[in-house]
Amino acid sequence: MIVVLTAQAGEQEKNQVIEMIERAGLRVHLSQGIERTILGIIGDRELAASLALEALPQVERVVPILRPYKLASRDFHPQDTVVTVGDVQIGGGKVQIIAGPCAVEGEEQILTAARLAKAAGASILRGGAYKPRTSPYSFQGMEEEGLKLLARARAETGLPVATEVVDPRSLELVAEYADILQIGARNMQNFLLLKEVARAGKPVILKRGMSATVEEWLLAAEYILSAGNFQVILCERGIRTFETSTRNTLDLNAVALARQLSHLPILVDPSHGTGKWKLVTPMALAGLAAGADGLMIEMHPNPSEAVSDGPQSLTPENFAHLVEQVRKLAIALGKELG
Amino acid sequence: MIVVLTAQAGEQEKNQVIEMIERAGLRVHLSQGIERTILGIIGDRELAASLALEALPQVERVVPILRPYKLASRDFHPQDTVVTVGDVQIGGGKVQIIAGPCAVEGEEQILTAARLAKAAGASILRGGAYKPRTSPYSFQGMEEEGLKLLARARAETGLPVATEVVDPRSLELVAEYADILQIGARNMQNFLLLKEVARAGKPVILKRGMSATVEEWLLAAEYILSAGNFQVILCERGIRTFETSTRNTLDLNAVALARQLSHLPILVDPSHGTGKWKLVTPMALAGLAAGADGLMIEMHPNPSEAVSDGPQSLTPENFAHLVEQVRKLAIALGKELG
Amino acid sequence: MIVVLTAQAGEQEKNQVIEMIERAGLRVHLSQGIERTILGIIGDRELAASLALEALPQVERVVPILRPYKLASRDFHPQDTVVTVGDVQIGGGKVQIIAGPCAVEGEEQILTAARLAKAAGASILRGGAYKPRTSPYSFQGMEEEGLKLLARARAETGLPVATEVVDPRSLELVAEYADILQIGARNMQNFLLLKEVARAGKPVILKRGMSATVEEWLLAAEYILSAGNFQVILCERGIRTFETSTRNTLDLNAVALARQLSHLPILVDPSHGTGKWKLVTPMALAGLAAGADGLMIEMHPNPSEAVSDGPQSLTPENFAHLVEQVRKLAIALGKELG
Amino acid sequence: MIVVLTAQAGEQEKNQVIEMIERAGLRVHLSQGIERTILGIIGDRELAASLALEALPQVERVVPILRPYKLASRDFHPQDTVVTVGDVQIGGGKVQIIAGPCAVEGEEQILTAARLAKAAGASILRGGAYKPRTSPYSFQGMEEEGLKLLARARAETGLPVATEVVDPRSLELVAEYADILQIGARNMQNFLLLKEVARAGKPVILKRGMSATVEEWLLAAEYILSAGNFQVILCERGIRTFETSTRNTLDLNAVALARQLSHLPILVDPSHGTGKWKLVTPMALAGLAAGADGLMIEMHPNPSEAVSDGPQSLTPENFAHLVEQVRKLAIALGKELG
């Protein structure tokens, strides 16, 4: 941590800052430049970060040097983490496709979706039973009934099931039915939910918040890792920008960057990332080329009758077409469709 | 709701869309332009919004016409809502100042802060007992012990207490001690928490999410209103933009706009909105001039020793100075410090 | 164009709007809904767009229906445009790589760069002679001397040259030496320069502005097209978002979208798009997978001695490695390195 | 400038960096932390900034310590700059209102606007003769004829005239007629135009680019200052964010911040900043409360007939009402309407 003093800061004001740092049990490395005095803080990162030095008028700014996450970093864990769900491996040279409707709407819908997903080449089924919706007047999910239908679809197709958790109170119930627990973008910084989900002992898909920096995303992962659950899968799903011709801006820079900063496997969700089914296939391919370990795709037996996210859902035909293109691309990238 | 067909859409494709709309029990108003066919949907807004027409290839886009919230809108409730807490009125020509430290850190700290806040002219005390923190390694709040200290500060000063709720499981406990429940920016779209907080029967401060549009903010308010709690106070606290020289970008446009679209009272939080104590006073004044009904200000007896948000906290002296300027400005705006 | 009246608008206020529209020689299609009155304007799009109806208090909002560009749209020109420079085709199933240093720094530097670029597989040489720099104290380019060196590099390697134009006054000079004129991101809405560059009769690379929507980007292209120059190549180079761990956010959604909305060929510049050489290769591949027709890559014989953009420039070795990966990927995408 | 090496960097790699720095004539201050090695560069800021150290694989990042502008900073010039145009003072305790239509449309329009602006209390007339327009099909301004009409309006009312310059080739002509030259948001980084406008020897209003950071804005000012023209007036006019219910997001944080970082006077343009006439008055007041020295307001004799920006233009009545409120507010802020 580097502390830059203002140009006006005098000897006494400098000493006040040094004293504050030393009183906290940290050491100071002084660098007297021509125009600015800089203090380097040496010692425990968290302790240094807890000092409110910027509250002092003689401090111009404080620059953190070390990254604030540890367990999520490649420095800590240089090898790629591979998360295993049944016989499905996420990370480690495989490309996995998680597919299914936005929401579970009924038995026929989810069973049909599961069969079609599997037939086309998906390895995991998705479907929401608890739906966070922008409007209180929108469909909020089938809840436990939806979880049961997901379990039925798994029983029939053998596909493991990924579904979203939205509340610590229903977490145990969801964990009973699901193979992978998903934290949605809106809950990426619901820190209590992160701590709880860590304790459920199942793999967790952690979606990036729509205005979360990569650093905040990895810190959210750190909440789960530091609570003892290392089976964390990152998922980029689009950020909010000034561009409104797409629902979100799928940020593939973040995928390439997170791959370098972290050892955790990474998925890309081009359905939410674009909000437009016509853009899902090119952005799915782009996501893999950027380095993702898999895709999360909204596919519905009949998108125009979907109760949610129809406009970004692929038809079964378009989904099968996407999988074919993914298969070819994976080989060119030295990977293999899982 | 307006449905624009693609230039390529033929008669049959047009009829398919019309049929879908009519099958849902809605009526269609057809407008055949020279370059595009436009279908106006007449009937229940929610029903129309639930149709996934954009999933059809012949639909270029769907344009909503009516705003998606009702109870929060001025069309529904033309008069300004005034929320009353004890004898403090939020809205209706008064300017209220909510002040206190980011987090409750101990008895002496919160009692001192409360006394200083009151002495300077604040009418409500703030202080966090449950703290949502970006890093798992940061101080997470004193929890119930913090709530008790807030109650003690109220007993001594008579100031009502506002504090944040972060979890449905601790909501009842928080509601026991607090006079106003606060939903933080990160939880603005934690819809289950919104529904629960509505049932607690206390006034709610609803902070705007850091990437929430004004429409989404009012829809979050609609969650609380539609669950039967009309004592909702909006609070603008800065949005996330490309500009990083301030922690957030306090969006006062949103204050002026929300005042026109909604009847709910609005606060401005320049402490989080800027992240820099040197900018708090000018932005507090700007917030009031933009039409806010009050301010939420982080003040700490000793900011450089604060365990959180020290860099954006005012000293007691700077806070007292802010209140003096607010007092003068309020009069020029035809209002009065509460 | 759709005009939505406020809920309060009465008969007389409605008639005032209708009269304004009809007075302009346009027709009105009235749609009386339950909660809102909607007026559809029928007739010339530009004429309708020129009416300032939102200035009237009874108008809630105006929604444009038709896209504001014509010549740049696929509706107008359904086939992909292919731009030809010498025997290099941009668009139409080829993948082209434009490579070279950010700035021309001297004879040896640009000749070495050109030879290395060609040897590795690039088909066009880039290099800036006029440099728009954020700080007045930074190197501003070698100007005419730089143009001459680019011409020498072309003479030696046979690679056509692309270079930036920043001023209408030096345009003629640049056009004398360059094969492709580049409009930089900061000049995307320098409309006079767009008009001038159109008249030079050479292919134009139009970089997307860092906060330009896709619609504004295509409107900037429309400036060039409508002045009679159809050899326009779009180039996505990253937009500005809240994420600061990369210099910009390369927006590949925009590439996929522009491909659908427009017939113009599209390049991707992952060097500016990320600002970090370690991210250039994955994002180059992602850009191609998203549908781009080529890449624009900063490569320098010795990046750590580059006078500008060193941190995002590839070494010759890394560049050669990138080309190898592009070659494989192009085949998987059904294309071919040009 | 601080150079942070990667955790993996060894002795030899460290020495390579040190050597590069010293070879450039700069000194190195070494700080060996527990987890990272940090090199402080001591010496000329510009020289240090020109090193492309981030191109080296052993460099994790480079952190600039000093601000990149000098002449624009308060460190260089602690007192507020006051710009004088005739007997109008911008800065120094006065509040000035620049008012007039977006574009000069004809003699009657601009003369009427000028008379109304003056009568209500404006001290400077604005009006565009050269209009940068997003679409090539929109009205592009009356050009020289517009300048002549502005001069006529000045002759009649005595109000000095501010108008936009868009091209170095017409700069001399504009400078002949105008009292203040305006650089529009789209040209904030048109560096050649900045250098040229500096030479015209007239005061310059420098609008902030819609995605420019405060630092980039001050660097743009530095282009003008370093070319010898110190009569620079900053103008905040809204930035581009995810929020689309307003045309732009007027960033008043930037006003408060720029006032602290720089000595230059600052205006606020709530017309462009919001894009909605109903929001202009509250945001004008907010801008002044945030510390602005004046306002730039679009006012049109008949906004619904304006050829551009009608939706954000005030009627003469609303403008007069705004001035009345500004007058009262100015007094409360210890200032005076000029």
Side-chain angles (χ1 to χ4, degrees):
Chain A
M1 198 149 269
I2 294 290
V3 183
V4 184
L5 302 187
T6 60
Q8 291 74 36
E11 197 64 16
Q12 195 185 335
E13 287 154 318
K14 182 182 75 184
N15 290 337
Q16 187 197 5
V17 181
I18 292 175
E19 208 180 301
M20 262 190 72
I21 297 169
E22 292 181 341
R23 213 185 319 138
L26 298 157
R27 282 186 305 117
V28 174
H29 179 99
L30 180 70
S31 169
Q32 196 84 49
I34 298 154
E35 303 191 45
R36 285 290 186 286
T37 298
I38 294 172
L39 310 175
I41 305 184
I42 297 170
D44 184 65
R45 191 208 175 279
E46 295 314 318
L47 192 56
S50 74
L51 297 175
L53 299 170
E54 274 175 312
L56 297 170
Q58 67 265 50
V59 173
E60 189 167 286
R61 64 197 177 106
V62 172
V63 183
I65 296 301
L66 298 176
R67 301 191 189 285
Y69 46 85
K70 293 168 199 170
L71 309 177
S73 76
R74 265 207 195 272
D75 281 354
F76 170 79
H77 186 299
Q79 267 76 46
D80 283 357
T81 285
V82 177
V83 173
T84 305
V85 187
D87 55 359
V88 179
Q89 282 189 3
I90 300 171
K94 293 279 185 182
V95 167
Q96 303 297 351
I97 303 179
I98 303 180
C102 174
V104 181
E105 297 169 13
E107 180 160 8
E108 200 192 313
Q109 177 245 21
I110 191 66
L111 287 182
T112 308
R115 282 180 213 126
L116 291 163
K118 178 161 192 185
S123 51
I124 299 173
L125 177 65
R126 61 152 290 155
Y130 297 85
K131 299 299 309 166
R133 301 302 298 277
T134 303
S135 164
Y137 308 120
S138 300
F139 173 66
Q140 312 267 320
M142 292 184 73
E143 306 193 347
E144 187 169 1
E145 185 55 26
L147 295 173
K148 287 181 180 163
L149 294 177
L150 284 169
R152 205 164 306 161
R154 171 179 50 203
E156 199 192 299
T157 59
L159 294 178
V161 159
T163 199
E164 184 168 352
V165 190
V166 295
D167 190 351
R169 296 168 304 173
S170 55
L171 169 60
E172 211 176 315
L173 188 69
V174 177
E176 219 175 275
Y177 290 99
D179 301 289
I180 305 179
L181 301 173
Q182 182 186 316
I183 296 289
R186 285 173 185 76
N187 280 315
M188 192 203 85
Q189 293 196 316
N190 184 339
F191 303 114
L192 284 156
L193 190 58
L194 295 179
K195 289 178 194 171
E196 291 297 324
V197 90
R199 294 194 194 106
K202 298 226 164 171
V204 178
I205 293 175
L206 177 66
K207 290 203 154 185
R208 181 182 179 196
M210 65 185 85
S211 63
T213 61
V214 170
E215 185 167 296
E216 290 167 340
W217 191 19
L218 293 176
L219 275 165
E222 190 88 4
Y223 263 93
I224 305 174
L225 298 168
S226 65
N229 184 343
F230 274 72
Q231 298 189 285
V232 175
I233 305 152
L234 301 169
C235 182
E236 159 64 28
R237 48 73 74 200
I239 56 171
R240 198 152 258 196
T241 71
F242 65 83
E243 175 60 77
T244 54
S245 60
T246 47
R247 183 179 174 188
N248 292 293
T249 299
L250 191 70
D251 178 8
L252 297 180
N253 285 22
V255 172
L257 184 64
R259 166 142 322 296
Q260 293 178 0
L261 297 175
S262 178
H263 52 89
L264 298 171
I266 309 173
L267 303 177
V268 160
D269 173 351
S271 305
H272 286 89
T274 65
K276 301 192 166 207
W277 65 267
K278 284 185 194 174
L279 302 178
V280 168
T281 298
M283 292 310 288
L285 300 176
L288 295 177
D293 300 293
L295 299 169
M296 202 155 190
I297 304 286
E298 289 193 343
M299 182 267 276
H300 191 283
N302 194 346
S304 69
E305 297 195 344
V307 300
S308 66
D309 283 353
Q312 70 195 35
S313 297
L314 294 186
T315 60
E317 296 69 38
N318 285 333
F319 177 69
H321 185 60
L322 173 148
V323 178
E324 277 329 292
Q325 294 185 260
V326 165
R327 205 181 295 275
K328 273 188 280 182
L329 188 78
I331 295 165
L333 296 168
K335 294 186 172 180
E336 193 190 354
L337 186 61
Chain B
M1 197 150 268
I2 292 289
V3 183
V4 183
L5 302 186
T6 61
Q8 292 74 37
E11 196 63 17
Q12 197 185 332
E13 287 153 319
K14 182 181 75 184
N15 290 336
Q16 188 198 2
V17 181
I18 293 175
E19 210 180 300
M20 265 189 71
I21 297 168
E22 293 182 340
R23 214 185 319 137
L26 297 157
R27 283 185 305 118
V28 174
H29 180 99
L30 180 71
S31 169
Q32 195 83 49
I34 296 154
E35 303 192 46
R36 284 289 187 287
T37 298
I38 293 172
L39 309 175
I41 305 184
I42 297 171
D44 183 66
R45 193 210 174 276
E46 295 314 319
L47 193 55
S50 74
L51 297 174
L53 298 169
E54 275 176 311
L56 297 171
Q58 67 266 47
V59 172
E60 191 168 283
R61 63 196 178 109
V62 170
V63 183
I65 297 300
L66 297 176
R67 303 192 188 282
Y69 46 84
K70 292 167 201 173
L71 308 177
S73 75
R74 267 208 193 272
D75 281 355
F76 171 79
H77 186 298
Q79 266 77 45
D80 283 358
T81 284
V82 177
V83 173
T84 305
V85 187
D87 55 0
V88 179
Q89 281 189 4
I90 300 170
K94 294 278 186 183
V95 168
Q96 304 296 351
I97 302 179
I98 303 181
C102 174
V104 180
E105 298 169 14
E107 182 160 8
E108 197 191 315
Q109 176 244 20
I110 192 66
L111 286 182
T112 308
R115 281 180 213 126
L116 290 164
K118 179 161 191 183
S123 50
I124 299 172
L125 176 66
R126 60 151 291 153
Y130 297 86
K131 298 301 308 168
R133 301 301 298 277
T134 303
S135 165
Y137 308 120
S138 301
F139 173 64
Q140 312 267 321
M142 291 184 74
E143 306 194 348
E144 189 170 0
E145 185 55 25
L147 295 173
K148 286 182 180 161
L149 294 177
L150 284 169
R152 205 165 304 162
R154 172 180 48 205
E156 197 191 300
T157 60
L159 293 178
V161 159
T163 199
E164 184 168 351
V165 190
V166 296
D167 189 351
R169 296 168 304 174
S170 54
L171 169 60
E172 212 174 315
L173 187 69
V174 178
E176 221 175 274
Y177 291 98
D179 302 289
I180 305 180
L181 301 173
Q182 181 185 315
I183 296 289
R186 286 173 184 76
N187 280 316
M188 192 202 85
Q189 292 196 317
N190 185 340
F191 303 114
L192 284 156
L193 189 59
L194 295 179
K195 288 179 194 170
E196 292 297 324
V197 91
R199 294 195 193 105
K202 298 226 165 173
V204 178
I205 292 175
L206 178 65
K207 289 205 154 184
R208 182 181 178 198
M210 64 186 83
S211 64
T213 61
V214 170
E215 186 167 296
E216 290 167 341
W217 190 21
L218 294 177
L219 275 166
E222 190 87 5
Y223 262 93
I224 305 173
L225 298 167
S226 66
N229 185 341
F230 274 72
Q231 298 188 286
V232 175
I233 304 152
L234 301 170
C235 182
E236 160 63 28
R237 48 76 73 202
I239 57 171
R240 198 153 257 196
T241 70
F242 65 84
E243 176 59 76
T244 54
S245 59
T246 47
R247 182 177 175 190
N248 291 294
T249 300
L250 191 71
D251 178 9
L252 298 181
N253 285 23
V255 172
L257 184 64
R259 166 142 323 294
Q260 293 179 1
L261 296 175
S262 178
H263 51 90
L264 298 170
I266 309 174
L267 303 178
V268 160
D269 173 351
S271 305
H272 286 90
T274 66
K276 301 192 164 205
W277 65 266
K278 285 187 195 174
L279 301 178
V280 168
T281 298
M283 292 311 287
L285 300 177
L288 294 178
D293 300 293
L295 300 169
M296 201 154 190
I297 304 286
E298 289 193 344
M299 180 266 276
H300 191 284
N302 194 347
S304 68
E305 298 195 345
V307 299
S308 67
D309 283 354
Q312 69 195 33
S313 297
L314 293 186
T315 59
E317 296 69 37
N318 284 333
F319 177 68
H321 184 60
L322 173 147
V323 178
E324 276 329 291
Q325 294 185 261
V326 165
R327 205 182 295 274
K328 273 189 279 182
L329 188 79
I331 294 166
L333 297 168
K335 294 186 170 180
E336 194 191 355
L337 186 60
Chain C
M1 197 148 270
I2 293 289
V3 183
V4 184
L5 302 186
T6 61
Q8 291 74 36
E11 196 62 16
Q12 197 185 333
E13 287 153 318
K14 182 181 75 186
N15 290 337
Q16 188 198 4
V17 181
I18 293 175
E19 209 180 301
M20 264 189 70
I21 298 168
E22 291 181 344
R23 214 185 318 139
L26 297 157
R27 281 184 305 119
V28 175
H29 180 99
L30 179 72
S31 169
Q32 196 84 48
I34 297 154
E35 304 191 45
R36 284 291 186 287
T37 297
I38 293 171
L39 309 175
I41 305 184
I42 296 170
D44 183 66
R45 193 210 173 277
E46 294 315 318
L47 192 55
S50 73
L51 297 175
L53 298 170
E54 275 174 312
L56 298 171
Q58 66 265 49
V59 172
E60 190 167 286
R61 63 197 177 108
V62 171
V63 183
I65 297 301
L66 297 176
R67 302 191 189 284
Y69 47 85
K70 292 168 199 168
L71 308 176
S73 76
R74 267 210 193 272
D75 282 355
F76 170 79
H77 185 300
Q79 266 75 47
D80 283 358
T81 285
V82 177
V83 173
T84 305
V85 186
D87 54 359
V88 180
Q89 282 190 2
I90 300 170
K94 294 278 186 183
V95 167
Q96 304 296 352
I97 302 179
I98 303 180
C102 174
V104 181
E105 299 168 12
E107 180 160 10
E108 198 191 315
Q109 176 243 23
I110 192 67
L111 286 182
T112 308
R115 283 179 213 125
L116 291 164
K118 178 160 194 187
S123 50
I124 299 172
L125 176 67
R126 60 153 291 156
Y130 296 86
K131 299 300 308 167
R133 301 301 299 277
T134 303
S135 164
Y137 307 119
S138 301
F139 173 66
Q140 313 267 321
M142 292 184 74
E143 306 193 347
E144 187 169 1
E145 184 56 25
L147 296 173
K148 287 182 180 162
L149 294 177
L150 284 169
R152 204 165 305 164
R154 172 179 51 205
E156 197 192 300
T157 60
L159 294 179
V161 159
T163 198
E164 184 168 352
V165 190
V166 295
D167 189 351
R169 297 168 303 174
S170 54
L171 169 59
E172 212 175 314
L173 187 69
V174 177
E176 219 175 276
Y177 290 98
D179 302 289
I180 306 179
L181 301 173
Q182 182 186 315
I183 296 288
R186 287 174 185 75
N187 279 317
M188 192 202 85
Q189 293 196 316
N190 184 339
F191 303 114
L192 283 156
L193 190 58
L194 295 179
K195 289 179 195 170
E196 291 298 324
V197 90
R199 293 194 195 107
K202 298 225 165 172
V204 179
I205 293 175
L206 178 65
K207 289 206 154 186
R208 181 182 179 196
M210 64 185 83
S211 63
T213 62
V214 170
E215 186 167 296
E216 289 167 343
W217 191 20
L218 294 177
L219 275 165
E222 191 87 3
Y223 262 94
I224 305 173
L225 298 168
S226 66
N229 184 342
F230 274 73
Q231 298 189 285
V232 175
I233 304 153
L234 301 170
C235 182
E236 160 63 28
R237 48 75 72 202
I239 57 171
R240 199 151 256 197
T241 70
F242 64 84
E243 177 59 77
T244 53
S245 59
T246 47
R247 182 178 175 190
N248 292 294
T249 299
L250 191 70
D251 178 9
L252 298 180
N253 286 22
V255 172
L257 184 64
R259 168 143 318 298
Q260 293 178 2
L261 297 175
S262 179
H263 52 90
L264 297 171
I266 308 173
L267 303 177
V268 160
D269 173 351
S271 306
H272 286 90
T274 65
K276 300 190 166 211
W277 64 268
K278 285 187 193 172
L279 301 178
V280 167
T281 297
M283 292 310 288
L285 301 176
L288 294 177
D293 299 294
L295 299 168
M296 200 152 190
I297 304 287
E298 289 192 344
M299 181 264 275
H300 191 284
N302 194 346
S304 68
E305 299 195 345
V307 299
S308 66
D309 283 354
Q312 69 196 33
S313 297
L314 293 186
T315 60
E317 296 69 37
N318 285 333
F319 178 68
H321 184 61
L322 173 147
V323 178
E324 277 327 293
Q325 293 185 262
V326 165
R327 205 182 293 275
K328 273 189 278 181
L329 188 79
I331 294 166
L333 296 167
K335 295 186 170 179
E336 194 190 355
L337 186 59
Chain D
M1 197 149 272
I2 293 289
V3 182
V4 184
L5 302 187
T6 61
Q8 292 74 38
E11 196 62 16
Q12 196 185 335
E13 287 152 319
K14 183 182 75 185
N15 291 337
Q16 188 197 4
V17 181
I18 292 174
E19 209 180 302
M20 264 190 70
I21 298 168
E22 292 181 342
R23 213 185 320 139
L26 298 157
R27 284 186 303 118
V28 174
H29 180 100
L30 179 71
S31 168
Q32 194 84 47
I34 297 154
E35 304 191 44
R36 284 290 186 286
T37 298
I38 293 172
L39 310 175
I41 305 184
I42 297 170
D44 183 65
R45 193 211 172 276
E46 295 314 318
L47 192 56
S50 74
L51 297 175
L53 299 170
E54 275 175 311
L56 297 171
Q58 66 266 47
V59 173
E60 191 168 283
R61 63 197 177 105
V62 171
V63 183
I65 297 300
L66 298 176
R67 302 193 189 282
Y69 45 86
K70 292 168 199 169
L71 309 177
S73 75
R74 265 207 195 274
D75 281 355
F76 170 80
H77 186 299
Q79 266 76 48
D80 283 358
T81 285
V82 177
V83 173
T84 306
V85 187
D87 54 0
V88 179
Q89 282 190 1
I90 301 171
K94 293 279 185 183
V95 168
Q96 303 296 352
I97 302 179
I98 303 180
C102 175
V104 180
E105 298 169 13
E107 180 161 11
E108 198 192 314
Q109 177 245 21
I110 192 66
L111 287 182
T112 308
R115 282 180 214 125
L116 290 163
K118 176 159 195 188
S123 50
I124 299 172
L125 176 67
R126 60 152 290 156
Y130 296 86
K131 298 300 307 167
R133 301 301 299 276
T134 304
S135 165
Y137 307 120
S138 300
F139 173 66
Q140 313 267 320
M142 290 184 75
E143 308 194 347
E144 187 170 1
E145 184 55 26
L147 294 173
K148 288 182 181 163
L149 294 177
L150 283 168
R152 204 165 307 162
R154 171 180 48 204
E156 198 193 300
T157 59
L159 293 178
V161 159
T163 197
E164 183 167 353
V165 189
V166 296
D167 189 352
R169 296 168 303 174
S170 53
L171 169 60
E172 210 176 318
L173 187 68
V174 177
E176 219 176 277
Y177 290 98
D179 302 288
I180 306 180
L181 301 173
Q182 181 185 315
I183 296 289
R186 285 173 186 76
N187 280 317
M188 192 202 85
Q189 292 196 317
N190 185 340
F191 303 113
L192 283 156
L193 190 58
L194 295 179
K195 290 178 195 170
E196 292 297 325
V197 90
R199 294 193 195 108
K202 298 227 165 171
V204 178
I205 292 175
L206 178 65
K207 289 205 153 186
R208 180 181 180 198
M210 65 185 84
S211 64
T213 61
V214 170
E215 185 167 296
E216 290 167 342
W217 191 20
L218 294 177
L219 275 166
E222 190 87 3
Y223 262 93
I224 305 173
L225 297 168
S226 65
N229 184 342
F230 274 72
Q231 297 189 285
V232 175
I233 305 153
L234 301 170
C235 182
E236 159 64 28
R237 48 75 72 201
I239 57 170
R240 199 151 256 195
T241 70
F242 65 84
E243 176 60 78
T244 54
S245 60
T246 47
R247 183 178 174 189
N248 291 296
T249 299
L250 191 71
D251 178 9
L252 298 181
N253 287 21
V255 172
L257 184 64
R259 167 143 320 296
Q260 293 180 0
L261 297 175
S262 178
H263 53 89
L264 298 171
I266 309 172
L267 303 178
V268 161
D269 173 352
S271 306
H272 287 89
T274 65
K276 300 190 166 209
W277 65 266
K278 285 186 194 174
L279 301 177
V280 168
T281 298
M283 293 311 289
L285 300 176
L288 294 178
D293 299 294
L295 299 168
M296 200 154 191
I297 304 287
E298 288 193 345
M299 181 265 275
H300 191 284
N302 193 346
S304 67
E305 298 195 344
V307 299
S308 67
D309 283 354
Q312 70 196 31
S313 297
L314 294 186
T315 60
E317 295 70 36
N318 285 333
F319 177 68
H321 184 60
L322 174 148
V323 178
E324 277 328 292
Q325 294 186 261
V326 165
R327 205 181 295 274
K328 274 188 279 181
L329 189 79
I331 295 165
L333 296 168
K335 294 186 171 180
E336 193 190 356
L337 186 59

